[in-house]
Amino acid sequence: MLDIRFSRALQVMLFLAVAAENGHGPLSSAELAHKLNANPSLVRKLLVPLTDEGLVVCVKGRTGGARLGRPSDRITLAEIYRCAVGDKPLFAPSPGVEPVCPVTAHAGEYFATLTAEAEEAVLESLGDRTLADSVGELRRLCTGHVRQG
């Protein structure tokens, strides 16, 4: 099953970045959920690791909500990815397979190496992009100017 935690967390962060740029105050989990077409409890779950890492600040109460914890040009997509995905591996072997041949005997070790290499490439790619860069890319897409490269 495809994991959508990163894409959802990134969308939340993009909503918060645009709100900050437009001078809006914090966005409630209900507002964010409406934008994501999701449940507010899902949004609150997504916000926990982002808040723990200081990427988001949440204020409780009727006028509270979530806002960026620092400027969008100082938040990388790699940080958002790490918060959203945590320690869940990108790839994993099937659990409980008896080691009856070279494939089943070494699949765990192989997948661990493959996962480490893929994660490194993903984090390197995402580490070069900030949340502000992403907002800019989305704005260019709105005007028909797609990023080259």
Side-chain angles (χ1 to χ4, degrees), residues 97-109:
V97 177
E98 292 293 321
V100 296
C101 68
V103 172
T104 56
H106 301 286
E109 180 182 350

Side-chain angles (χ1 to χ4, degrees), residues 64-143:
R67 65 175 173 76
L68 293 181
R70 59 182 190 252
S72 62
D73 64 348
R74 292 188 27 229
I75 297 173
T76 69
L77 300 192
E79 291 175 294
I80 298 167
Y81 177 83
R82 268 286 146 233
C83 287
V85 175
D87 293 332
K88 183 179 178 185
L90 191 58
F91 310 116
S94 298
V97 177
E98 292 293 321
V100 296
C101 68
V103 172
T104 56
H106 301 286
E109 180 182 350
Y110 174 73
F111 277 104
T113 301
L114 186 62
T115 297
E117 290 172 4
E119 286 276 333
E120 184 178 323
V122 165
L123 290 171
E124 183 178 327
S125 174
L126 297 177
D128 291 339
R129 287 186 168 164
T130 67
L131 191 56
D133 295 334
S134 298
V135 170
E137 284 186 49
L138 288 171
R139 287 204 168 107
R140 282 188 292 281
L141 287 170
C142 286
T143 60

Side-chain angles (χ1 to χ4, degrees), residues 3 13 18 116:
D3 190 323
M13 294 297 287
V18 170

Side-chain angles (χ1 to χ4, degrees), residues 4-89:
I4 60 171
R5 287 177 296 178
F6 171 61
S7 61
R8 290 266 175 112
L10 178 54
Q11 284 180 299
V12 165
M13 294 297 287
L14 288 164
F15 294 140
L16 297 177
V18 170
E21 283 185 3
N22 293 335
H24 290 82
L27 299 177
S28 71
S29 57
E31 290 172 299
L32 291 166
H34 178 73
K35 290 175 180 289
L36 280 174
N37 194 28
N39 189 302
S41 66
L42 170 71
V43 171
R44 288 189 290 273
K45 287 178 187 174
L46 288 170
L47 288 171
V48 168
L50 297 166
T51 302
D52 289 346
E53 289 299 316
L55 303 182
V56 171
V57 173
C58 290
V59 177
K60 293 181 181 181
R62 206 171 134 223
T63 59
R67 65 175 173 76
L68 293 181
R70 59 182 190 252
S72 62
D73 64 348
R74 292 188 27 229
I75 297 173
T76 69
L77 300 192
E79 291 175 294
I80 298 167
Y81 177 83
R82 268 286 146 233
C83 287
V85 175
D87 293 332
K88 183 179 178 185

